[in-house]
Every structure is written in C-alpha cells, then in structure tokens.
Amino acid sequence: MARRFFATESVTEGHPDKLCDRVSDSVLDAIIAQDPTARVACETCMTTGLIMVMGEITTSSYVDIEDIARTAVREVGYDRAKYGFDADSCAVLNSIHSQSLDIAMGVNKSLEAKGGADDDKYEIGAGDQGMMFGFACDETASKMPLGYVLATDMSKRLTVVRKDKTLSYLRPDGKTQVTVEYDGDTPVRLENIVVSTQHNPDVTLEQIRSDVIETVIKPVIPAHLIDANTKIYVNPTGRFVIGGPAGDTGLTGRKIIVDTYGGYGRHGGGAFSGKDPTKVDRSASYAARYAAKNIVAAGLAKKCEVQIAYAIGVAKPLCENVNTFGTGVIPDEKIAAILHDSVDFRPGAIIDYFGLRKPIYKPLSSYGHFGREDLGVRWESTDIADLLRDKAGLK
C-alpha cells in the first residue's frame, strides 16, 4: 500500500497558551463547585509580567479571580523572576462581566421548550451555533491516533522529569512533535522526533540532548518505531532559556488541535477551556468523541468521525453525521441511524449523562481532553459498545 507521513505536536503545561487554558478552567472549576448552573465563558491572556482574565460570567457565587490565576500559574512552576514569569509578582487584571441577556434567553429555555415540549432535556438550548467533531481509531488502546499519544506522552514526561528533579535544569515551557510513517492505515515507524524544552542558561545543548533522549524519548517511544533513519531533534535552535509568557503571549483556546486529535481528525473551530457545559463547543465535542470511540470499540469501524451541529437556543442537533472513511463493516448511514437511536445529543442530556456540572476541568486544560482515561471522565467510557454492536446485528 501507499506510504504516507503525518506529523502531530503537543505542548507542556508551561506553554503560555496552556497556562491561559489552566487559569480559565481553574476559574470555571471554582465557580461551578459553588454554583453548578453558572454560565461561564472565561478567557485569559498573558504576557511578560501580566495576566488578564476577561469574559462573561453569570453566577450566584463569589471567587477570587486574582488568587485563582496566581495559584494556577504557581502550580505549573512559574514561581520566580528568573524564569521570566512569576506568579506572585505579576499583575492580574480582571475584566469580567455577565453573560449577554440575548444569549441567556435562548440557553435558559430552548426553542422547543418555548413551544411546549415538556421533556426536561429540552429545557436547555444550545449555547451557540456551530459544528463539533469527535474522532476515534484503533491505532492505540485509548482509540486515539498513535502520533498524538506519543507526542502527548513525551510532553507529560518532560513535566515529570522537571518536577521530580531528574532534570533539575528544565523550566516549564516545552513542545514535542512526531512524524509517523504509515503503510496504508497502519503506522510502521517514526520519521522524526522533536523535543524543545525550556532550560536554565548554564546547561549545555549536548547535555540537554543526551538527557532528553535518555529520560524522555526512550521511556516513551517504543523501540520498534525508531530505526537508523529516524531523525531526532532536541532544542534545534540551540537555546531555549526565554519561555512561557515572557517569550510568547499566551491566549486561551489557541491550542485546539493539541486539545483534540493532533489534526488527525477534523475540528469545528470552537475552543473548550473556560466554558461551562451549556457551550456546545465543549460538551458536544465530548459527546461526539464518546460516540466515535464506542463505534470503534464496538468493532463497527476501524476509524470513525462523528459530526454534530446546532443552532443557538435549539436543543435538538441540526446534523448528526458519521464517517468511517471506508472502514465500516456496515454502511455509514446505518451506523448513523443506530447512533441516533442510542445517544441523546441534546445539551441537557449531554450535561446530565457525562456529569458536566462538576469541577472536573482544570486537569483537562493540559495534555488533551480525549484519551484521558487516567482522569475517569465518562466520555472516554465504552459503555454502549455492546449496545451498538447488537443493534448492528454483529455477534
């Protein structure tokens, strides 16, 4: 079969965009812990010496935005000036106001509920229009693309060896990338591996390269995927001392591909962090992933993408589409019909089924929202795989 290549990147929790995602989701968690029905759309930006928290929040609770922001940054490791950003000395600006009443009127009571529908799952309308995608494939146990898993695991490993002092000279910012070579749809090797990590100014590039290969790359990358032609790049610019918000302005929602499938599956464009679950950018993307993962787990396809679309203020989806890229054991339209009968994609149903009115979001702000079986999130369960298989008539 034809050979092809696909590259996927990841970033550490100290990347400036991820710091912003962390602050936004920390604010959401703090509010939703006190007020589960709060409306939160919290955005954060950061640059040298400054955190700005902004957005629309309607809640009966009170939280200390400044303290939450400083704590979130300190937890990552930006806690001294020599790192270029210090949680305790930077300025924090708060520019929060309430949710637009024009939006709230559609979310508080859906179009269907206004027309007399008495099912409580119709009560909530979608918080915005748009389309959301979920994806799964059989390349890994978590039903995530191989390249995404490897890049993400290297980012996680960079953070582990920094925090446990295995590599005490590392600093919080970092990025990873792998290029996977496929034979048809089967991953066979890695063409290249890239790791860029922030460090103190006294360590040599040679030591960084040796240490990263031994303590980050080798423990994560299966040996059979590396051969004599695999190229490994560690800090290819030669120096990465200035990082985090001092090196690059951060912004919530700017790592949507890192948050999802590394570009291997399509994306509707809406970010997740800082948004309460009435925002279907977030909740419906979780539901679409759940649907796609269960389809693959059921053996109905080797690869599956589920698209859902909404109109603001309307509970029922406008579109439910299934694409198995030619790998389905039954036609895609039949799988879509089975899915429609098995999963309720109305926002109220999604929120209830996945338990989204709880403070579960800060841990998701780094290292992706999918494949996170380590966090016990329900959209990663495969509890309807048997049901889908039975409805498809498969043993």
Side-chain angles (χ1 to χ4, degrees):
M1 298 182 72
R3 296 274 176 145
R4 61 185 179 88
F5 298 89
F6 194 89
T8 301
E9 75 159 352
S10 178
V11 300
T12 67
E13 63 188 32
H15 186 282
D17 295 331
K18 281 287 129 198
L19 281 176
C20 293
D21 287 342
R22 186 182 187 89
V23 169
S24 295
D25 274 334
S26 295
V27 171
L28 172 61
D29 274 356
I31 291 172
I32 211 167
Q34 300 180 44
D35 180 8
T37 61
R39 299 292 163 74
V40 181
C42 180
E43 307 281 347
T44 304
C45 66
M46 294 186 196
T47 189
T48 306
L50 175 65
I51 302 173
M52 183 173 181
V53 184
M54 52 201 158
E56 300 79 45
I57 297 176
T58 300
T59 181
S60 59
S61 68
Y62 169 78
V63 298
D64 187 334
I65 298 289
E66 179 179 343
D67 181 65
I68 291 169
R70 293 188 190 280
T71 298
V73 173
R74 191 183 305 111
E75 288 171 343
V76 168
Y78 283 109
D79 55 4
R80 58 197 68 188
K82 69 179 183 179
Y83 291 172
F85 197 78
D86 178 13
D88 296 303
S89 63
C90 67
V92 180
L93 300 182
N94 180 352
S95 183
I96 297 291
H97 58 89
S98 60
Q99 184 183 60
S100 160
L101 294 177
D102 291 349
I103 295 175
M105 66 186 292
V107 179
N108 295 341
K109 193 168 187 177
S110 72
L111 184 67
E112 293 95 332
K114 291 172 184 175
D118 57 4
D119 184 338
D120 62 359
K121 298 299 187 298
Y122 277 120
E123 185 65 25
I124 298 173
D128 201 353
Q129 74 172 47
M131 68 285 189
M132 297 83 213
F133 290 95
F135 180 81
C137 63
D138 66 356
E139 292 179 14
T140 63
S142 64
K143 303 296 187 283
M144 293 291 286
L146 176 64
Y148 180 90
V149 170
L150 297 179
T152 303
D153 284 352
M154 284 196 295
S155 287
K156 290 180 181 177
R157 183 68 184 162
L158 269 179
T159 297
V160 168
V161 299
R162 170 176 63 87
K163 288 186 170 180
D164 71 9
K165 307 300 183 183
T166 298
L167 301 183
S168 59
Y169 56 79
L170 294 187
R171 292 179 178 176
D173 199 356
K175 303 181 81 171
T176 64
Q177 185 171 293
V178 299
T179 300
V180 181
E181 182 176 351
Y182 285 83
D183 183 3
D185 285 332
T186 303
V188 292
R189 59 179 292 274
L190 297 186
E191 175 68 8
N192 49 62
I193 301 167
V194 185
V195 178
S196 295
T197 180
Q198 188 185 12
H199 58 88
N200 75 35
D202 301 322
V203 65
T204 65
L205 177 61
E206 290 73 19
Q207 182 179 350
I208 296 170
R209 177 179 169 82
S210 175
D211 288 347
V212 166
I213 289 174
E214 290 300 318
T215 68
V216 176
I217 295 176
K218 285 185 177 180
V220 169
I221 305 297
H224 72 274
L225 294 176
I226 300 176
D227 60 27
N229 295 316
T230 301
K231 302 174 183 65
I232 298 177
Y233 302 91
V234 176
N235 283 16
T237 68
R239 181 179 168 89
F240 187 0
V241 173
I242 301 171
D248 187 13
T249 298
L251 183 64
T252 297
R254 201 159 55 183
K255 284 292 175 283
I256 57 176
I257 298 303
V258 170
D259 282 342
T260 52
Y261 310 101
Y264 204 76
R266 281 179 283 197
H267 197 296
F272 301 157
S273 290
K275 295 179 180 178
D276 77 79
T278 66
K279 313 307 192 283
V280 284
D281 283 337
R282 176 169 227 157
S283 54
S285 293
Y286 293 170
R289 159 64 178 172
Y290 171 77
K293 186 175 183 181
N294 275 273
I295 287 168
V296 173
L300 301 186
K302 296 174 66 64
K303 185 189 301 186
C304 181
E305 180 181 79
V306 173
Q307 185 200 44
I308 317 169
Y310 295 86
I312 187 169
V314 180
K316 278 190 173 181
L318 307 184
C319 171
E320 298 172 24
N321 181 60
V322 171
N323 183 358
T324 65
F325 307 94
T327 69
V329 299
I330 60 176
D332 288 357
E333 57 268 25
K334 185 174 180 180
I335 297 176
I338 293 169
L339 185 64
H340 179 78
D341 290 339
S342 306
V343 179
D344 190 340
F345 289 114
R346 291 174 293 175
I350 292 170
I351 290 168
D352 288 351
Y353 190 76
F354 296 115
L356 299 182
R357 285 199 164 119
K358 296 184 294 187
I360 61 172
Y361 298 106
K362 183 174 74 170
L364 292 162
S365 64
S366 301
Y367 311 116
H369 294 245
F370 305 123
R372 300 304 303 273
E373 294 167 345
D374 57 313
L375 298 179
V377 290
R378 190 165 185 181
W379 58 89
E380 287 301 317
S381 69
T382 53
D383 55 355
I384 62 167
D386 289 343
L387 173 67
L388 299 179
R389 188 182 303 111
D390 288 346
K391 287 186 175 183
L394 303 180
K395 292 184 179 180

